């Protein structure tokens, strides 16, 4: 992974190819008066496990499947986050945000929200640099629509394909969940195959335009 130049922390990282494409897109956005920056990029398994633990500990017992799925609509399980790939990021415009605190909620990216101009520009131009939105709709059984989440198609497509044959991934997750003592694993591990299908499979199709970026994205 590589720290993304110009971001607020060296911990904001992407794969080198993705970082380069993002920097080109960021420069183009700036010419249009849009200040594109990353709120979250690559996340390690350990970091995602910490995010999951904070969410899971808020569940009332006994733990029910519907409580797990309510979390998973917005927060991924460790091992099932696209942020592990170094191809995906959550973005925002700090200038448009002003003194407000970023929530990463849909209304912020809606027509009246502070991220409206950013979202409109990305919707029109992100594909030129190889980026697309994997979470488009609230009508799928998987992750809810996330207008802040963008993915670098030329690489993400390769990782996405691996989840279509999940047996090796399930085996690896079983090992990692024991090794890292992931909170709530007793309610999760038996469901890995169905969770992969639901939350990694229910994503938007990659637009052809994003797979063949015109702005030096490859």
């Amino acid at each position: 992974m590589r720290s993304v130049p110009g971001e607020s922390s060296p911990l904001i990282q992407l794969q080198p190819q993705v970082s380069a494409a993002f920097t080109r897109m960021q420069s183009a956005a700036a010419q249009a008066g849009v200040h594109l920056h990353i709120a979250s990029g690559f996340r390690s398994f350990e970091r995602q496990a910490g995010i999951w633990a904070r969410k899971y500990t808020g569940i009332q017992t006994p733990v029910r499947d519907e409580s797990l799925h309510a979390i998973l609509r917005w927060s991924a399980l460790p091992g099932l986050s696209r942020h592990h790939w170094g191809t995906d990021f959550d973005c925002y415009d700090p200038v448009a945000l002003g003194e407000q605190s970023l929530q990463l909620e849909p209304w912020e990216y809606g027509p009246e929200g502070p991220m409206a101009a950013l979202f409109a520009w990305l919707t029109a131009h992100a594909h030129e640099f190889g980026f697309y939105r994997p979470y488009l709709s609230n009508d799928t059984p998987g992750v809810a629509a996330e207008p802040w989440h963008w993915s670098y198609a030329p690489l993400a497509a390769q990782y996405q394909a691996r989840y279509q044959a999940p047996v090796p991934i399930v085996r690896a997750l079983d090992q990692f969940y024991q090794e890292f003592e992931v909170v709530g694993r007793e309610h999760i591990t038996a469901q890995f195959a169905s969770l992969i299908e639901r939350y990694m499979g229910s994503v938007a199709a990659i637009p052809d335009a994003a797979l063949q970026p015109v702005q030096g994205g490859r």
Side-chain angles (χ1 to χ4, degrees), residues 84-134:
H84 294 330
W85 303 348
T87 59
D88 289 47
F89 58 85
D90 301 333
C91 65
Y92 74 116
D93 182 335
V95 175
L97 188 65
E99 297 300 318
Q100 301 178 61
S101 177
L102 183 67
Q103 304 297 318
L104 289 180
E105 294 184 355
W107 68 268
E108 294 174 298
Y109 296 77
E112 305 301 322
M115 301 299 115
L118 168 68
F119 182 67
W121 190 92
L122 286 171
T123 299
H125 299 287
H127 66 277
E128 299 169 11
F129 302 87
F131 295 98
Y132 80 107
R133 286 178 59 205

Side-chain angles (χ1 to χ4, degrees), residues 56-102:
Y56 182 86
T57 53
I59 296 178
Q60 293 183 343
T61 55
V63 176
R64 303 182 185 279
D65 281 352
E66 55 264 31
S67 299
L68 294 176
H69 290 302
I71 296 175
L72 293 172
R73 284 286 279 174
W74 299 101
S75 296
L77 284 167
L80 298 187
S81 172
R82 294 174 65 102
H83 284 276
H84 294 330
W85 303 348
T87 59
D88 289 47
F89 58 85
D90 301 333
C91 65
Y92 74 116
D93 182 335
V95 175
L97 188 65
E99 297 300 318
Q100 301 178 61
S101 177
L102 183 67

Side-chain angles (χ1 to χ4, degrees), residues 11-213:
L11 297 178
I12 294 179
Q13 299 178 334
L14 296 170
Q15 291 202 43
Q17 182 178 344
V18 185
S19 178
F22 173 82
T23 298
R24 289 190 289 271
M25 183 167 69
Q26 186 180 54
S27 296
Q31 294 176 18
V34 174
H35 303 271
L36 171 63
H37 287 274
I38 296 175
S40 181
F42 166 75
R43 293 183 203 146
S44 67
F45 186 95
E46 296 94 326
R47 184 180 174 196
Q48 194 67 34
I51 294 171
W52 168 257
R54 290 193 294 274
K55 302 285 186 177
Y56 182 86
T57 53
I59 296 178
Q60 293 183 343
T61 55
V63 176
R64 303 182 185 279
D65 281 352
E66 55 264 31
S67 299
L68 294 176
H69 290 302
I71 296 175
L72 293 172
R73 284 286 279 174
W74 299 101
S75 296
L77 284 167
L80 298 187
S81 172
R82 294 174 65 102
H83 284 276
H84 294 330
W85 303 348
T87 59
D88 289 47
F89 58 85
D90 301 333
C91 65
Y92 74 116
D93 182 335
V95 175
L97 188 65
E99 297 300 318
Q100 301 178 61
S101 177
L102 183 67
Q103 304 297 318
L104 289 180
E105 294 184 355
W107 68 268
E108 294 174 298
Y109 296 77
E112 305 301 322
M115 301 299 115
L118 168 68
F119 182 67
W121 190 92
L122 286 171
T123 299
H125 299 287
H127 66 277
E128 299 169 11
F129 302 87
F131 295 98
Y132 80 107
R133 286 178 59 205
Y135 305 127
L136 279 176
S137 174
N138 288 322
D139 296 329
T140 71
V143 178
E146 293 188 348
W148 52 84
H149 187 132
W150 295 79
S151 183
Y152 185 65
L155 290 183
Q158 301 173 35
Y159 297 116
Q160 181 70 41
R162 297 178 186 178
Y163 286 84
Q164 295 175 6
V167 173
I169 294 173
V170 170
R171 289 174 180 164
L173 288 176
D174 275 329
Q175 179 179 343
F176 286 144
Y177 271 56
Q178 295 299 323
E179 196 174 308
F180 289 95
E181 299 183 346
V182 174
V183 173
R185 60 190 179 279
E186 66 275 14
H187 299 292
I188 299 166
T189 53
Q191 304 184 60
F192 273 147
S194 63
L195 291 171
I196 289 171
E197 180 180 1
R198 179 167 179 171
Y199 292 101
M200 301 303 290
S202 298
V203 293
I206 300 177
D208 289 340
L211 285 169
Q212 298 179 341

